[in-house]
Amino acid sequence: MKTGIVGSPSPPLENVQWIDGNGNQRDPLSLEELGTGFKILYFFQDWCAGCHTHGFPTLVTLLENLGNKGVGFAAVQTVFEGSDVNTFDRLRENQSRYGLGIPFGHAAPVEGRGETVPAIMEAFQTGGTPWFVVIAPDGRVVYDGFRLEADALVHALGASVG
């Protein structure tokens, strides 16, 4: 599968079950609900060691430094393996563990469609987890990849949003 859609318009957040920033199940989330500024999406799996050693700490740093500057955030568990472990219930656990008051979503392949990965992974052409997507205010994807350096992004966006 080809990865990354940098320069393309962001796809919608479809085929995802969501909880809000307080852990309550909610209706589908739209990108517009994350605000009019930059948006950061974090794709993870509960059992992914790199998601916990790099991804979540990066997300926490980004939220602490950019969350009060109009940057919108959401995290999506993309279940492309380990569906018995990477369950919807794990959303609240990770949300609480890292103190993240942002929407969390759960995306798994839709049964009966012959999907091997969640549709949202296909739409964003993610290559696994941990995976970050940064969307500019004009709706175009400006970053789509595995390793995101929090300090560099805080510096880059800080000048744009501060």
Side-chain angles (χ1 to χ4, degrees), residues 64-144:
E64 286 173 351
N65 288 279
L66 298 171
N68 62 351
K69 295 185 178 183
V71 176
F73 290 86
V76 180
Q77 179 171 244
T78 52
V79 183
F80 53 92
E81 56 190 359
S83 59
D84 56 328
V85 175
N86 298 301
T87 62
F88 182 81
D89 293 335
R90 298 279 200 241
L91 298 182
R92 287 178 191 88
E93 292 172 24
N94 284 298
Q95 190 182 53
S96 176
R97 176 179 179 182
Y98 294 101
L100 294 165
I102 63 173
F104 269 62
H106 177 80
V110 177
E111 289 187 34
R113 287 195 195 165
E115 296 176 350
T116 57
V117 299
I120 197 163
M121 286 183 71
E122 291 281 349
F124 282 93
Q125 295 180 9
T126 67
T129 56
W131 194 272
F132 284 91
V133 174
V134 180
I135 303 164
D138 69 1
R140 296 214 171 267
V141 174
V142 295
Y143 181 85
D144 195 3

Side-chain angles (χ1 to χ4, degrees), residues 7 10 21 33 37 43 45 48 51 54 56-57 71 73 76 81 90-91 107 122-123 143 146 150 153 155:
S10 176
E33 290 178 78
F43 296 91
Q45 289 192 94
C48 164
C51 294
H54 174 74
F56 275 112
V71 176
F73 290 86
V76 180
E81 56 190 359
R90 298 279 200 241
L91 298 182
E122 291 281 349
Y143 181 85
F146 271 113
L153 185 61
H155 179 72

